[in-house]
Amino acid sequence: MSLAVADLCKRYGAVEAVAGVSFEAAPGAILGLLGPNGAGKSTTIGLIAGLLRPDRGSVRIAGRELGGDADPAKRALGLVPQELALIDELPARVNLEIFGALYGLAGRELRRRCDAALDAVSLADRAADPPRQYSGGMRRRLNLACALLHEPAVLLLDEPTVGVDPQSRHAIFATLAALRDAGHTLVYTTHYMEEVEKLCDRVVIIDHGRVLADDTVARLVAAAPGGETLTLDYEPAPDAAAVAALSMLPGVRSAALEAGRLVVSCTDIGAAAPRVLEQLAARDHHCRHLESRAPTLEDVFLSLTGRSLRDP
Amino acid sequence: MSAATAFRALVRKDVLTFVRDRRALIVSVLTPILIAAFFGYLFGERGGGERGRLPVAVVDEDGSPLSRAVGAALAADPMLEVEPSAAARARAAVGAGRLRASVRLPAGFGAAARRALVGGGPPAPVELLYDPSQSMVKAVVAGLLTEHVMQAAIGELASGAPEAVDATLADLRGNARLDPGLRADLVRVLEATRSLGTRPGAATAARGLAPPFALADVPVSAGPAYNSYAHAFAGMSVQFILFMGIDAGVAVLTQRQLGLWRRLRAAPVSRRTLLAARATATLLIALGILAAVYLVAGLVFGVRIAGSPAGFVAVCVAFAAFTAAAGLFVAALGRSVAATRGLATLVVLLLVMLGGAWVPSFVFPAWLQRATAFVPTRWAVDGLDAMTWRGLPAEAVLLPVAGLLAVALVLGALATLCFDWESDA
């Protein structure tokens, strides 16, 4: 494993910010780290990045346990902070040179990596300009490039697309995909669920400092408690007895009237849908409209945490 | 090797950031030069020659020979610009701030002064009105008035002017309260004076008394010559370099807000290296500012290092170290940027004022003068003075340098101990 987090704990006074968080990430994988605000995500990232000292537990990068602040093992780690952590007064290239030098790069090798990083984020032609002259999207891309210079095995990305235009978002996604394909491990936190569904191979959901779920997106969605749902408009609307009868059908988990609409939760929508339609037609109810919806990661998140990902 | 590379990168970051910030350059380098040039000119010998005269009203309500002589002497004084005036107009002009003071010689002044001079009556009343916002003016005008009244009054008698001597003799003989023996002696002296005044050739002799001494005022320093700009440049350098030190500390707070500090800390760099690099950059910038300011001071204003060059460098390095440590201290204890900057600016202004950078410390009350002996900014200003215009040897700055380095060490240690490493994680 590139990254192995084991039983991480961090307490601030009476508050247990992180309480025994464990997960792993393989080379060439993107791991989504999700949680509502205050769930312990930032503290977990801080512990992995070596910004905080854990009360208990360990972080291993490529098999080596992280020690103190100056531990050379940290060279295998890159951090893209949520903030635009750039030196606004200095040209982009100088920004890169300084961040590269912090990881021991120097001379020709440093220059070569700077060129490569600027190419990777399509900023080579603006290398001499300071970031304060950049658009928000360009600054985000440079923010990413600064973390790539030393070619870290594990890259921690803390909401790297906040406030980014679609074009820059696409460019960032392309860069991340290329990094994954090159064998880097990416840990990705975001408030955009669709980004997780699109990018991440695995998802770890955290709340109250604890891991609530750790699996692939497909498996998490498949195990969503609500399953797939049918929403139907009938004329006339079925009565309570008719709705209760639907719950007995094969493939149906539950049925209920919600604001005049029939909502049927299914364990097997293929088996349930024709039976529901047939039974109600037999009782002279005429279907006017039908919708089917597969569960999403948002549903999984909501069911686990009781909150939406973007709730304050 | 890589630790050194990281350290150099961190120092480079801070130095380049400062150099590229035009506002910081202007505030730290150009402003001290301009203000020091102004103060140096204002308080120095070069400015003194062209210093404006004090505008003063003289109200002569007596019109006696003595009052006219005093008025003429005041008008001829190079320190004063005398405007003859009436009492009410003079009072209004002083009250409005148009004139600095007014001297009123009331009716009977001449006669009263003569009587008082030989113990025959109370001192003649003279009214001095002055602008309370400029209390130094009172001392200057009172001193000049005393000088000119005494010269005129004694001179009038000593020169044997018959009308003055006769009037004084008449006063003496009619003064029953005076000891008879003393009265007889004074009468004999005045009669002899009158006799001298009537001798042939006396009319051509200089009348009045001349001062019995000629004052030779010689500025003394161990250096070749006093240069008023030297002290001004010392004071202003200290002030603006300390401001730069605060900015360096506040910059850390800003970096924390922007997440830059987080990114730096994610690198394999020790906490000690991060703080040491920040302090080193501040130290180098402070030395750069001192070099630039004193280069201009030397080339344009003739400020010379008349003392020990090694001592000068030692003071500069010690003060730069103090500034760097003060910056770290601000970074360690500061919370919000605005509040920290405000409080630190106040502290620096107090330190600079107590250090004698604005006004010489001898104008302070005695207790405050004793207290400023423990203020690091005074050590720095005194050290720079000692190595420039005072022309003292390096031993003269051993104590200030040691003091500055000791305080730097204490502040640096406290900053390292108090630095909050977790709040921005």
Side-chain angles (χ1 to χ4, degrees):
Chain A
M1 285 294 161
S2 276
L3 172 67
V5 175
D7 196 26
L8 273 187
C9 294
K10 183 70 181 176
R11 176 181 281 279
Y12 294 106
V15 178
E16 198 167 26
V18 173
V21 166
S22 300
F23 57 82
E24 294 182 339
I30 301 181
L31 177 88
L33 190 59
L34 298 183
N37 287 328
K41 288 191 310 286
S42 294
T43 307
T44 303
I45 291 284
L47 290 165
I48 297 172
L51 308 179
L52 294 170
R53 288 175 179 162
D55 297 332
R56 199 178 67 221
S58 66
V59 176
R60 288 181 173 274
I61 310 287
R64 282 197 58 186
E65 184 169 339
L66 279 187
D69 296 301
D71 188 342
K74 283 172 82 178
R75 282 190 202 144
L77 204 60
L79 173 67
V80 181
Q82 180 181 341
E83 305 89 351
L84 291 162
L86 302 167
I87 308 157
D88 271 339
E89 297 82 2
L90 305 183
R93 177 177 286 280
V94 178
N95 266 272
L96 291 167
E97 287 171 0
I98 287 169
F99 290 120
L102 291 180
Y103 289 86
L105 297 172
R108 193 177 299 167
E109 180 62 11
L110 176 60
R111 286 193 293 277
R112 186 189 69 75
R113 301 254 191 127
C114 288
D115 289 338
L118 286 165
D119 280 337
V121 295
S122 308
L123 287 173
D125 57 333
R126 299 290 302 273
D129 296 333
R132 63 165 176 249
Q133 295 176 6
Y134 283 6
S135 69
M138 290 164 76
R139 286 156 67 87
R140 279 279 162 209
R141 276 143 59 194
L142 181 61
N143 201 35
L144 175 61
C146 290
L148 300 179
L149 274 175
H150 59 290
E151 297 176 355
V154 176
L155 186 62
L156 306 172
L157 300 122
D158 194 0
E159 303 199 29
T161 57
V162 169
V164 166
D165 59 277
Q167 189 185 353
S168 290
R169 184 183 298 248
H170 181 75
I172 289 172
F173 286 174
T175 307
L176 299 184
L179 287 168
R180 177 188 54 196
D181 295 345
H184 295 268
T185 301
L186 280 63
V187 178
Y188 194 92
T189 76
T190 181
H191 275 93
Y192 301 112
M193 198 64 85
E194 62 277 14
E195 289 187 358
V196 179
E197 289 176 321
K198 182 175 179 181
L199 280 175
C200 298
D201 306 293
R202 289 174 66 85
V203 174
V204 171
I205 297 176
I206 295 181
D207 199 12
H208 301 299
R210 289 181 166 78
V211 173
L212 302 181
D214 177 0
D215 213 330
T216 62
V217 174
R219 278 205 288 266
L220 283 172
V221 168
E228 291 175 294
T229 54
L230 284 172
T231 305
L232 308 104
D233 293 334
Y234 269 93
E235 185 66 40
D239 56 17
V243 172
L246 293 176
S247 302
M248 305 300 156
L249 292 173
V252 173
R253 178 181 285 134
S254 64
L257 278 174
E258 293 176 7
R261 308 184 81 189
L262 177 65
V263 179
V264 181
S265 174
C266 309
T267 52
D268 180 353
I269 198 166
R275 290 187 170 91
V276 168
L277 290 168
E278 191 178 315
Q279 183 158 321
L280 288 172
R283 295 184 179 210
D284 283 337
H285 295 286
H286 302 289
C287 182
R288 303 287 183 207
H289 183 77
L290 181 150
E291 285 173 23
S292 70
R293 193 173 80 81
T296 63
L297 197 55
E298 182 76 45
D299 298 320
V300 176
F301 188 88
L302 196 61
S303 70
L304 287 171
T305 66
R307 286 180 278 174
S308 164
L309 190 55
R310 294 185 204 179
D311 276 353
Chain B
M1 175 66 185
S2 64
T5 306
F7 182 81
R8 277 198 303 273
L10 289 165
V11 173
R12 181 183 175 217
K13 168 183 76 71
D14 292 329
V15 172
L16 280 182
T17 305
F18 175 82
V19 171
R20 294 218 172 211
D21 183 349
R22 222 171 282 170
R23 177 190 153 276
L25 267 183
I26 289 172
V27 168
S28 303
V29 179
L30 198 58
T31 314
I33 290 172
L34 290 176
I35 297 181
F38 175 71
F39 276 128
Y41 177 78
L42 202 63
F43 294 121
E45 292 290 313
R46 297 171 204 199
E50 298 166 19
R51 190 174 292 137
R53 295 170 160 205
L54 293 175
V56 171
V58 172
V59 182
D60 185 358
E61 295 175 340
D62 187 31
S64 66
L66 181 60
S67 67
R68 286 199 303 275
V70 170
L74 289 171
D77 196 294
M79 291 285 287
L80 304 176
E81 184 182 337
V82 168
E83 177 182 312
S85 181
R89 197 153 47 88
R91 176 180 281 272
V94 174
R98 194 173 62 76
L99 296 177
R100 299 283 176 266
S102 162
V103 174
R104 186 170 71 87
L105 307 172
F109 163 77
R114 266 198 310 273
R115 276 196 299 275
L117 198 63
V118 294
V126 175
E127 184 183 68
L128 172 61
L129 309 177
Y130 66 97
D131 184 341
S133 70
Q134 302 189 30
S135 56
M136 288 291 281
V137 168
K138 183 180 79 168
V140 172
V141 176
L144 293 173
L145 183 64
T146 304
E147 175 192 340
H148 292 308
V149 168
M150 290 303 288
Q151 277 191 26
I154 296 174
E156 189 180 48
L157 291 181
S159 62
E163 58 281 10
V165 175
D166 287 346
T168 310
L169 276 171
D171 284 342
L172 263 179
R173 287 178 178 130
N175 189 346
R177 286 175 301 156
L178 205 61
D179 176 77
L182 175 62
R183 184 167 54 202
D185 288 345
L186 285 170
V187 167
R188 274 197 295 279
V189 168
L190 284 174
E191 282 175 340
T193 306
R194 183 174 57 186
S195 169
L196 283 171
T198 56
R199 288 172 72 87
T204 59
R207 286 202 159 205
L209 289 183
F213 62 92
L215 187 65
D217 48 349
V218 182
V220 173
S221 73
Y226 173 65
N227 181 336
S228 63
Y229 290 101
H231 177 75
F233 271 93
M236 290 305 115
S237 300
V238 163
Q239 173 169 321
F240 285 93
I241 286 171
L242 274 178
F243 280 143
M244 181 279 295
I246 290 176
D247 278 344
V250 170
V252 174
L253 300 180
T254 310
Q255 286 176 9
R256 295 177 87 146
Q257 280 184 352
L258 298 177
L260 187 57
W261 194 250
R262 253 182 118 205
R263 168 166 259 159
L264 299 177
R265 289 198 50 218
V269 177
S270 72
R271 298 175 178 191
R272 209 178 308 138
T273 302
L274 274 174
L275 293 185
R278 175 73 261 187
T280 304
T282 309
L283 185 142
L284 292 176
I285 293 167
L287 288 176
I289 294 171
L290 278 166
V293 169
Y294 271 92
L295 186 67
V296 175
L299 293 177
V300 181
F301 299 97
V303 174
R304 296 278 173 268
I305 299 168
S308 157
F312 179 79
V313 171
V315 174
C316 290
V317 171
F319 177 63
F322 168 74
T323 303
L328 271 194
F329 192 67
V330 167
L333 297 192
R335 292 295 174 259
S336 81
V337 169
T340 303
R341 194 190 295 278
L343 185 62
T345 302
L346 176 68
V347 172
V348 166
L349 288 177
L350 281 173
L351 281 175
V352 167
M353 187 181 65
L354 294 174
W358 295 351
V359 290
S361 51
F362 69 75
V363 302
F364 298 161
W367 68 267
L368 196 54
Q369 287 188 46
R370 283 194 294 275
T372 60
F374 300 98
V375 175
T377 43
R378 180 161 173 196
W379 306 336
V381 172
D382 286 355
L384 291 171
D385 278 351
M387 294 300 101
T388 52
W389 66 270
R390 285 194 189 280
L392 297 175
E395 295 78 43
V397 292
L398 285 181
L399 212 55
V401 166
L404 285 166
L405 290 176
V407 174
L409 210 60
V410 171
L411 286 179
L414 283 174
T416 308
L417 286 174
C418 299
F419 204 91
D420 179 6
W421 292 99
E422 301 226 322
S423 65
D424 57 350

